[in-house]
Amino acid sequence: RGFDVVDLDPYGSAAMFLDGAVQAVSDGGLLCVTCTDKAVLCGKNAETCYGKYGSMSIRAPYCHEYAVRIVLQAIEHSANRYKRHIIPL
């Protein structure tokens, strides 16, 4: 049995905490994730983004939307390791 709500709000990248957060939230629970490494997610360091999130970031007018998709993919990937899935709100 896990927690109903887990709020993951580190300074910088949340990537290193995703596995623990996914395991800590109960089935049907709410996982809130905040990432403050916008430069990495928006294409400034694509190699760093790949190392943290498993995706290449790009510089484009739509980089913020793409950054959200990168984070969602990383959370889904962590959840799939434990036979779980996510439903973005």
Side-chain angles (χ1 to χ4, degrees), residues 3-82:
F3 296 98
D4 291 331
V5 178
V6 174
D7 184 15
L8 183 58
D9 189 9
Y11 179 76
S13 175
M16 65 189 89
F17 304 109
L18 291 177
D19 273 350
V22 165
Q23 291 178 63
V25 71
S26 64
D27 289 337
L30 181 65
L31 175 60
C32 305
V33 179
T34 303
C35 298
T36 58
D37 56 343
K38 184 175 81 167
V40 170
L41 288 166
C42 286
K44 186 165 184 170
N45 296 320
E47 295 84 14
T48 303
C49 185
Y50 187 79
K52 291 181 179 184
Y53 297 99
S55 294
M56 295 291 286
S57 58
I58 55 174
R59 282 190 174 212
Y62 51 86
C63 68
H64 295 101
E65 177 187 348
Y66 196 69
V68 171
R69 292 174 185 267
I70 289 172
V71 173
L72 288 173
Q73 176 273 331
I75 298 168
E76 178 70 18
H77 185 70
S78 292
N80 288 339
R81 286 188 195 129
Y82 305 103

